[in-house]
Amino acid sequence: MGLKRLIVRRGQPFMLQLHFNRPFHWGTDRITFIAETGPAPTELSGTRATFSLTQTRQGNVWSASDFTIDSNLLCVSLFTPSNAVIGSYTLKIETSQGQGYSSTHSLGTFFLLFNPWNAEDDVYLPSEILLQEYVMMDYGFVYKGQEKFITSWPWNYGQFEEDIIDICFEILNKSLYFLKNPSKDCSQRSDVVYICRVVSAMINSNDDNGVLQGNWGEDYSLGVSPLEWNGSVAILRQWSARGGKPVKYGQCWVFAGVMCTVMRCLGVPTRIVSNFRSAHNVDGNLTLDTYYDRNAEMLATPERDKIWNFHVWNECWMIRKDLPPGYNGWQVLDPTPQETSNGLFCCGPASVRAIKEGDVHLPYDTPFVYAEVNADEVIWLFGDGQAREILAHNTRSIGNNISTKMVGSNQHQNITSSYKYPEGSPEERSVFMKASKKMLGSRRASSPLLDLLRSRDSQDQPAQLQLRLARTPEWGQDLLLKLHARRVPNRAHPRGPIRLQVRFCAQALLHKGGAREPLWRQIVHLNLDFGEEIQWPLLLPYINYRNKLTDERLIRVSGIAEVEGTGRSILVLKDISLEPPHLSIEVSERAEVGKALRVHVTFTNTRTVALSHCTMVLEGSGLIHGQLSNDLGTLVAGHTTQIQLVLYPFKAGHRQLQVLISSNEVKEIKGYKDIFVAAARAS
């Protein structure tokens, strides 16, 4: 089988050359091939196949056919069925002549993977452009930030790095399913739905020695901050090298990035999806509550429900033979440990079509994913130990700008319409009611909260308030906003002037939902005549938020206006994502395999403060073996640093170089450079 390992996709014939110590005679010399995988292979379980040499292929079964004989040399085509168990196989032949003595010889091993190019495979994807994007592309992007300011985060999948395929099957062999019943587990590896659920559970370590340990706190001293990973390869290699000990630490985009690597390596078309303002609805009531006090401070909530600023999961492409017709295609898989599914922390596959149509009764975990993109948010004014007033009932705030990488581009694509009909449309309301009935049953008809929401006229306010940014928000700079206030008629105050007292509060948002202690407050008094619009400037100084943000640099500015003489309150919110400093990457010449490639990285600290303990990490499949690290020390305010490196690309084709600069003050200063590497010229 040559010096390199043989890796083939099921349903794909491959050629084998056998050299004998004498001429081979068709008709008298008998050959039987034996292919085996797993610890106790049997034909009944599909982990063992025996097949003889035939002149033509015999359908979708293991076969050896279309052979040619040249004296001592036999060239034969081996075919694996499109529904075969995936795994590492040993291949042997048993030879005999007539009824005489037989002997068995080992030919070697090969890996068998899913085959999305084969129309008979359950992962068949009938588009070469999509196959190149979702199977062959070994780099991509995660989309982070917030719905109105989406940032691209380059990620190195590296599924074709030399040892990654071994690690992927090591993951399967360390799952609880395998440890409980190895033979049964291996026999089910022909089923992509089963493989997806096993991998989803194994990427996190909540139930087992999975790949990643999650950490949603702010102390990463015992491991690596989730923001400091450039890709999956270093994580998978560390997990394997340490005997399957979970790697510290991951959050949603890291879990999803690693799962994307594993699934693409196994041959399943896979992509990463980001859902902005993603609901974690534990009790399945499709409602999440948020609380503010009269000073506009967001309060901690005792419920386990939360709204992530964004949440990242995977979609895998497959036929769902376990579902009624119409639910094939993209399926949600989420390896981030949020809730258990059949006793393990995994999620999916949930049909994206089922989510859009509200068919939440279909497996797997469809109700949970439906709530992630469709739940309502109810915002309460809290005081004197109880919720006193509904400030807002948002039916459109959850599940916005659902995004994935655009095919053939570095831009993001909004795929929200794949998950739900347009917000507020008759189709969306109909689907929501259908899903609600299935998820809530009799609870929905008798819900006092829903009765209250139905009876409340949220539009009956005497003024409209909106917060807007007056300039681009950059980390290290003062933030300038404007409050736009406009007097509108309502039943209580049809046309007269009103007086408002607006209390503002700014807090650092936590990725997992909720906020830190207030970092800025201000009170504004406004008099509004009928038809009048006022713009009031607000300044949030850098000194107020310095050292008070999380690594994601998200701030929520909240305002609650009390309408004098009415007892009514008006809520206004603005989420701000601060831009980090930028770096540039330049390549000075044509890239070619084996030839020196000079790379120039330039970074200017444009902020008013120094960045201390700066480190730079470079990564890129086909460009760098593993990672390159560089200690940059302290970068003073206004200082520019230039780093020159020489790389020796070792794989041709489209490549991506990823650069991460981290400091104590800012964790994620990232950049990337797309590089086309030409094949080595013939000497």
Side-chain angles (χ1 to χ4, degrees):
M1 288 191 175
L3 299 176
K4 297 288 186 180
R5 295 183 299 174
L6 178 63
I7 301 172
V8 295
R9 301 186 185 278
R10 59 188 193 178
Q12 168 192 357
F14 60 96
M15 295 302 298
L16 198 65
Q17 289 187 347
L18 299 177
H19 296 264
F20 298 102
N21 59 0
R22 63 168 177 79
F24 178 80
H25 300 289
W26 166 250
T28 57
D29 291 322
R30 298 182 57 189
I31 293 181
T32 300
F33 291 87
I34 305 164
E36 296 177 327
T37 187
T42 66
E43 294 192 22
L44 184 62
S45 66
T47 53
R48 185 176 193 268
T50 59
F51 47 101
S52 300
L53 194 63
T54 58
Q55 289 184 319
T56 57
R57 204 172 79 198
Q58 306 295 316
N60 189 36
V61 294
W62 289 86
S63 63
S65 61
D66 302 314
F67 60 89
T68 59
I69 302 170
D70 184 5
S71 186
N72 296 26
L73 176 65
L74 172 66
C75 295
V76 59
S77 173
L78 265 62
F79 178 81
T80 63
S82 58
N83 60 351
V85 167
I86 67 165
S88 175
Y89 279 80
T90 60
L91 185 63
K92 297 178 286 188
I93 59 167
E94 185 180 274
T95 60
S96 62
Q97 190 174 29
Q99 301 297 318
Y101 171 77
S102 65
S103 60
T104 302
H105 309 271
S106 175
L107 298 180
T109 63
F110 66 93
F111 283 106
L112 187 62
L113 306 176
F114 291 108
N115 190 355
W117 281 266
N118 187 299
E120 302 300 318
D121 199 300
D122 286 349
V123 299
Y124 175 59
L125 181 58
S127 166
E128 184 60 31
I129 293 174
L130 298 185
L131 288 165
Q132 290 300 316
E133 181 73 45
Y134 298 132
V135 179
M136 303 303 294
M137 185 74 74
D138 59 3
Y139 61 86
F141 295 91
V142 176
Y143 297 101
K144 302 174 60 179
Q146 49 112 341
E147 59 182 300
K148 295 181 180 178
F149 190 83
I150 297 175
T151 57
S152 300
W153 178 274
W155 192 265
N156 180 38
Y157 299 126
Q159 68 268 32
F160 301 121
E161 294 292 301
E162 188 171 351
D163 52 348
I164 295 301
I165 190 169
D166 302 280
I167 298 172
C168 290
F169 283 105
E170 184 183 353
I171 288 171
L172 298 181
N173 291 341
K174 280 187 164 62
S175 77
L176 293 180
Y177 296 98
F178 182 86
L179 297 176
K180 181 179 180 180
N181 190 331
S183 297
K184 181 181 179 182
D185 172 75
C186 288
S187 71
Q188 292 179 278
R189 293 184 184 178
S190 60
D191 181 4
V192 64
V193 172
Y194 178 78
I195 290 290
C196 282
R197 286 185 63 76
V198 172
V199 175
S200 175
M202 276 299 295
I203 297 301
N204 69 74
S205 62
N206 283 41
D207 308 293
D208 41 44
N209 285 323
V211 176
L212 278 160
Q213 180 176 325
N215 185 343
W216 289 269
E218 297 177 59
D219 180 7
Y220 308 117
S221 58
L222 298 179
V224 175
S225 164
L227 292 167
E228 296 185 45
W229 296 112
N230 271 336
S232 308
V233 176
I235 295 169
L236 290 167
R237 284 175 173 166
Q238 180 178 321
W239 176 80
S240 179
R242 296 183 180 180
K245 184 178 179 181
V247 176
K248 301 176 181 178
Y249 294 103
Q251 290 183 10
C252 61
W253 66 90
V254 187
F255 290 111
V258 173
M259 183 160 185
C260 190
T261 295
V262 174
M263 298 312 297
R264 286 188 183 183
C265 181
L266 296 178
V268 181
T270 306
R271 64 187 185 183
I272 283 180
V273 173
S274 296
N275 178 36
F276 292 91
R277 288 189 56 77
S278 185
H280 182 172
N281 187 209
V282 177
D283 55 15
N285 66 354
L286 291 176
T287 302
L288 294 97
D289 299 311
T290 307
Y291 300 91
Y292 288 84
D293 66 14
R294 292 196 177 278
N295 294 315
E297 178 182 344
M298 184 196 296
L299 304 175
T301 174
E303 292 100 346
R304 289 179 59 207
D305 286 359
K306 59 174 69 77
I307 301 174
W308 302 91
N309 300 325
F310 65 91
H311 183 57
V312 184
W313 58 64
N314 301 98
E315 286 179 0
C316 293
W317 180 274
M318 69 190 73
I319 293 173
R320 291 296 300 272
K321 293 179 178 177
D322 58 323
L323 300 182
Y327 299 97
N328 299 332
W330 290 116
Q331 315 286 320
V332 171
L333 276 300
D334 190 352
T336 299
Q338 295 191 84
E339 298 296 325
T340 58
S341 174
N342 293 342
L344 295 179
F345 278 95
C346 66
C347 181
S351 164
V352 173
R353 177 70 186 275
I355 295 162
K356 181 172 183 174
E357 300 299 336
D359 294 323
V360 294
H361 60 289
L362 297 175
Y364 292 89
D365 311 303
T366 310
F368 183 78
V369 182
Y370 180 86
E372 286 185 297
V373 300
N374 283 293
D376 288 357
E377 179 186 19
V378 181
I379 302 177
W380 297 85
L381 180 63
F382 193 86
D384 300 325
Q386 60 181 332
R388 307 192 66 86
E389 178 185 349
I390 294 178
L391 295 171
H393 171 214
N394 295 328
T395 61
R396 305 177 181 222
S397 65
I398 302 297
N400 292 320
N401 267 344
I402 304 173
S403 299
T404 191
K405 180 183 177 295
M406 189 178 293
V407 174
S409 167
N410 290 344
Q411 302 301 310
H412 74 272
Q413 178 184 358
N414 188 328
I415 58 170
T416 307
S417 61
S418 298
Y419 281 83
K420 52 186 176 180
Y421 291 97
E423 294 283 7
S425 67
E427 296 89 348
E428 185 267 338
R429 286 292 91 191
S430 174
V431 167
F432 187 85
M433 293 307 297
K434 178 172 76 169
S436 299
K437 289 177 182 178
K438 291 177 180 177
M439 293 174 67
L440 299 176
S442 60
R443 286 187 294 160
R444 184 165 186 86
S446 61
S447 169
L449 169 60
L450 289 167
D451 292 339
L452 179 60
L453 294 177
R454 293 189 192 104
S455 66
R456 179 179 180 271
D457 184 2
S458 60
Q459 303 302 316
D460 188 35
Q461 296 284 13
Q464 292 177 351
L465 303 181
Q466 188 177 28
L467 280 169
R468 299 177 187 172
L469 286 165
R471 64 186 180 204
T472 302
E474 296 184 352
W475 183 87
Q477 305 291 332
D478 296 344
L479 306 180
L480 185 61
L481 301 97
K482 284 187 178 180
L483 172 67
H484 292 249
R486 187 165 70 92
R487 174 73 171 94
V488 293
N490 73 322
R491 288 196 298 265
H493 296 80
R495 301 185 70 84
I498 59 170
R499 181 174 173 79
L500 302 178
Q501 179 178 258
V502 192
R503 293 182 173 92
F504 290 100
C505 177
Q507 296 169 271
L509 286 177
L510 303 172
H511 174 61
K512 62 182 179 180
R516 283 182 172 177
E517 293 295 314
L519 53 86
W520 172 84
R521 294 185 189 273
Q522 188 168 330
I523 299 177
V524 172
H525 296 274
L526 300 176
N527 292 306
L528 280 176
D529 287 327
F530 181 75
E532 182 181 12
E533 181 170 340
I534 293 177
Q535 296 185 23
W536 191 279
L538 299 168
L539 181 69
L540 201 170
Y542 168 62
I543 194 171
N544 282 67
Y545 70 81
R546 180 183 179 182
N547 302 326
K548 293 183 180 178
L549 302 185
T550 67
D551 290 335
E552 292 180 3
R553 306 178 311 280
L554 283 171
I555 296 175
R556 172 164 295 175
V557 178
S558 314
I560 293 181
E562 293 184 1
V563 185
E564 191 175 275
T566 67
R568 295 292 296 274
S569 301
I570 306 172
L571 175 71
V572 60
L573 300 173
K574 181 68 176 179
D575 290 347
I576 303 171
S577 180
L578 302 183
E579 283 200 40
H582 297 281
L583 57 85
S584 67
I585 306 165
E586 297 298 330
V587 177
S588 57
E589 63 266 292
R590 175 178 181 269
E592 183 180 319
V593 170
K595 184 179 177 182
L597 178 67
R598 281 177 285 276
V599 176
H600 305 268
V601 180
T602 304
F603 172 67
T604 301
N605 179 11
T606 58
R607 303 310 180 241
T608 57
V609 296
L611 301 179
S612 58
H613 296 95
C614 295
T615 59
M616 182 177 69
V617 178
L618 294 90
E619 188 169 333
S621 289
L623 299 171
I624 300 171
H625 292 284
Q627 295 179 324
L628 292 177
S629 298
N630 209 331
D631 186 359
L632 305 180
T634 297
L635 300 179
V636 300
H639 178 70
T640 297
T641 184
Q642 293 184 326
I643 303 100
Q644 297 188 19
L645 308 105
V646 177
L647 307 180
Y648 290 86
F650 54 94
K651 285 185 181 179
H654 292 281
R655 301 287 153 204
Q656 188 180 84
L657 177 66
Q658 288 125 6
V659 180
L660 168 68
I661 294 179
S662 294
S663 68
N664 286 351
E665 291 73 21
V666 185
K667 293 296 182 188
E668 50 170 334
I669 304 168
K670 294 204 78 167
Y672 68 92
K673 183 72 173 179
D674 291 334
I675 300 172
F676 179 78
V677 179
R681 298 183 215 188
S683 54

